[in-house]
Amino acid sequence: MSSDLRILHLDMDAFFAAVEQRDDPSLRGKPVLIGHDGPRGVVATASYEARLFGCHSAQPMIVAKRRCPHAIILPGRHAHYREVSQQMFAILDSVSPAIEPLSIDEAFIDLEGTQRLHGSLEATAGQLKARIADEMDLTASVGLAPNKFLAKLASDMDKPDGCTVIHADEVERVLSPLPVTCLWGLGRATAARLEPHGVRTIGDLRVRPLNWLERILGGEAKRFYNLARGIDARRVVTDREAKSIGHEQTFQVDVADPSTVRRVLFDQAEQVGGRLRRQEFQAQGVTVKIRFGDFETITRSTTLPDPTDITMELWETARNMFDAWAANFQPVRLIGMTAERLTRSEGQMRLFSEPKQEQQREIDNVMDRIKKKMGASAIRRGGGGKK
Ligand code: TTP
Ligand code: MG
């Protein structure tokens, strides 16, 4: 019997906290908060034990400590998490070439056509989870569905260590009771426009005709109309075919501490640099995206004099744009960076490289090689959060 399932979404459970609990058994079973323990500190993530007390990502650390005074607070080892992330991606790579990384701990995989090799999609999901458990001693939650929207929704439904399937004929039952903000791309501002009309759940939205939605939501109406019916035609876009390579992070609350946001941006530059080099691309453009205040979003772009795949060059470019904006900093809801205008770097001669560039290239090279060979091992680079 052919299956209607096609897309797998995988997301690691309490990622930073789970890595700490794995590496230090004395932390297991205990509430752990990752983040800076200062007056302006923010929780990057909370272990599931801490979540029982109401702690969560992007919460001010003071609030989290009030909710869970006995929580163990750790500053986080970001270079280490990036290495663990690479190990996870290496496992994903082994089941399909069609992988779209979304953030440090999640990805979409298009499993169309892999059944012959790996068996049913449920079997593949089971194998992935088993390898992450055996080789990494961590857990991930997986969603399987006909498309990206439903797969991502599914992976979140039974966290931690979940494996949830949404078939096409279950869409109405599953989606109807969920709040409209579960629709991909529908944020609080749009939800606030629907609320006065009594549209709170996806079921409420689905019974509204398209032209009614268009009056309220304008150009985005059709997309939400389709998503409410479980229709999502987005393809899984791999790094190889992408026109750009980027990462973004939405915080659950506005982050008032610029250095926290900067730290996340640095992590993104490192991940994006690694992906460029792995796929043998260089980028001539860097864009930073910042959402702040009342959901205002700005993007700032810079054209580089020469295409690059050097982490530090990407970071400096992104950092300059961020710092220029942060002169009038406002609490940030989303931060993202994208490398674009990609060109092939294969076999390129670098006649005019400066010595500093060669040095950076060498550092990236060594980092990439060590990470590839030893996975989550002991190497880290300085820089990042501090100004
Ligand atoms: P998430 O996958 O959103 O969260 P999580 O893996 O900690 O927990 P869950 O089981 O719900 O998936 O993010 C992955 C990591 O990214 C997270 O461990 C820490 C980091 N992060 C931040 O630094 N700030 C944030 O606001 C969020 C949401 C995540
Ligand atoms: Mg996660």
Side-chain angles (χ1 to χ4, degrees):
M1 195 190 82
S2 87
S3 165
D4 60 340
L5 304 176
R6 169 168 187 160
I7 307 294
L8 184 153
H9 179 263
L10 181 141
D11 188 308
M12 302 295 287
D13 300 319
F15 186 47
F16 294 0
V19 171
E20 297 300 339
Q21 289 180 318
R22 173 192 75 174
D23 294 349
D24 177 357
S26 76
L27 299 173
R28 291 184 197 162
K30 295 192 180 146
V32 175
L33 303 170
I34 308 296
H36 177 61
D37 186 8
R40 294 213 295 170
V42 174
V43 177
T45 194
S47 71
Y48 276 81
E49 294 83 357
R51 292 184 198 195
L52 294 176
F53 294 85
C55 303
H56 59 76
S57 292
Q59 187 174 48
M61 189 59 85
I62 325 180
V63 175
K65 279 165 76 171
R66 210 178 298 139
R67 294 199 176 167
C68 186
H70 61 295
I72 298 155
I73 301 168
L74 300 170
R77 298 176 292 155
H78 295 261
H80 183 52
Y81 307 143
R82 284 193 296 270
E83 289 154 24
V84 180
S85 164
Q86 294 206 347
Q87 207 183 352
M88 173 200 91
F89 277 105
I91 292 175
L92 303 191
D93 279 339
S94 68
V95 301
S96 165
I99 293 180
E100 179 177 335
L102 286 182
S103 76
I104 192 162
D105 80 328
E106 64 176 312
F108 285 117
I109 311 181
D110 188 342
L111 290 173
E112 182 75 357
T114 61
Q115 287 94 324
R116 230 167 356 113
L117 209 58
H118 297 286
S120 72
L121 272 66
E122 288 92 336
T124 303
Q127 284 156 20
L128 280 177
K129 280 168 60 73
R131 284 192 61 188
I132 287 171
D134 295 346
E135 296 168 32
M136 303 179 67
D137 200 11
L138 291 170
T139 63
S141 294
V142 169
L144 285 171
N147 60 47
K148 283 169 123 179
F149 164 56
L150 295 172
K152 186 163 159 73
L153 204 64
S155 75
D156 207 37
M157 291 182 108
D158 191 25
K159 267 184 165 291
D161 203 13
C163 184
T164 306
V165 180
I166 301 180
H167 286 285
D169 60 4
E170 299 170 311
V171 163
E172 201 173 316
R173 179 179 60 78
V174 174
L175 292 187
S176 292
L178 300 175
V180 288
T181 47
C182 286
L183 295 173
W184 165 67
L186 198 152
R188 280 192 313 196
T190 309
R193 270 187 278 150
L194 292 165
E195 160 86 44
H197 303 280
V199 176
R200 291 182 196 91
T201 66
I202 297 178
D204 296 337
L205 190 141
R206 195 176 35 231
V207 297
R208 302 294 174 138
L210 180 59
N211 60 13
W212 184 88
L213 286 173
E214 278 167 348
R215 275 205 306 281
I216 311 285
L217 304 176
E220 290 188 305
K222 187 68 200 271
R223 183 153 61 89
F224 298 136
Y225 178 88
N226 282 332
L227 288 174
R229 288 160 176 74
I231 299 168
D232 175 19
R234 284 176 300 157
R235 291 188 335 99
V236 168
V237 183
T238 64
D239 282 349
R240 281 229 158 245
E241 52 186 331
K243 291 204 175 62
S244 63
I245 289 181
H247 271 286
E248 62 181 48
Q249 170 95 59
T250 305
F251 303 109
Q252 286 172 10
V253 297
D254 298 340
V255 176
D257 176 14
S259 66
T260 300
V261 182
R262 225 163 171 271
R263 174 84 244 180
V264 173
L265 187 62
F266 175 73
D267 286 348
Q268 291 171 345
E270 176 105 86
Q271 297 270 133
V272 167
R275 283 168 65 189
L276 285 173
R277 294 190 293 277
R278 200 154 71 93
Q279 305 293 338
E280 299 179 325
F281 281 122
Q282 296 193 322
Q284 187 142 27
V286 174
T287 295
V288 168
K289 178 173 162 189
I290 308 167
R291 183 167 301 151
F292 58 96
D294 204 12
F295 276 70
E296 190 180 344
T297 305
I298 59 146
T299 57
R300 294 283 180 268
S301 298
T302 299
T303 299
L304 299 158
D306 295 298
T308 190
D309 58 8
I310 296 175
T311 289
M312 277 303 160
E313 291 186 356
L314 297 166
W315 163 235
E316 277 162 26
T317 311
R319 186 193 59 197
N320 287 341
M321 290 185 272
F322 178 75
D323 287 349
W325 173 79
N328 296 303
F329 183 83
Q330 294 187 52
V332 168
R333 188 70 177 195
L334 174 152
I335 184 78
M337 79 151 268
T338 307
E340 54 218 356
R341 293 169 47 211
L342 308 182
T343 49
R344 281 284 165 208
S345 55
E346 289 151 309
Q348 229 174 56
M349 293 284 287
R350 302 194 62 82
L351 292 176
F352 304 109
S353 285
E354 293 170 22
K356 189 176 151 229
Q357 269 187 326
E358 281 314 313
Q359 198 188 348
Q360 285 299 336
R361 194 171 295 285
E362 204 43 49
I363 294 172
D364 285 344
N365 223 324
V366 170
M367 299 260 304
D368 292 346
R369 278 212 315 271
I370 294 179
K371 285 177 192 168
K372 198 169 167 194
K373 210 157 128 193
M374 324 221 311
S377 60
I379 180 161
R380 58 189 310 155
R381 107 168 55 205
K386 309 245 163 21
K387 213 168 165 174

